Amino acid sequence: MTARTMARIQRRITDHPDWCSRDHRCGIDTHRSPDLIADATGGRGVITRVQAGDREYAEITIRVRLDHRDPIAVRQVGLTLHLIRRLIQAVNAMRPDSLTSGTPRPAIGHKAA
Ligand SMILES: [Zn+2]
């Protein structure tokens, strides 16, 4: 007769970054901040800070109103693509030390409705 050992199952406490929303959007190896909303006439941007593994990034969803005329809408989509590319380049071109000043960042810590 063999003896069976009952293994104890223990869950390790998850370490969340300070900015993590600690809600259902936070996964096993991913942490997500509350959404930051940027409303503008004709559109909306939603930015979420994400940590996946040892990398952090800003996940951005943008809704831009397009003209009802297809040729114009196509050009608007192209312009949007161009500006998104410029946005990514501009953010990544910033020297980290230039972002450490006491500039107020009112959106940080602000929970979306
Ligand atoms: Zn988390």
Side-chain angles (χ1 to χ4, degrees), residues 16-17 20 22 26 30-31:
H16 300 272
C20 180
R22 295 175 172 80
C26 182
T30 304
H31 300 280

Side-chain angles (χ1 to χ4, degrees), residues 30-52:
T30 304
H31 300 280
R32 301 176 68 84
S33 72
D35 291 338
L36 302 170
I37 309 288
D39 280 320
T41 302
R44 166 178 271 206
V46 179
I47 303 168
T48 306
R49 183 175 175 178
V50 178
Q51 178 184 331

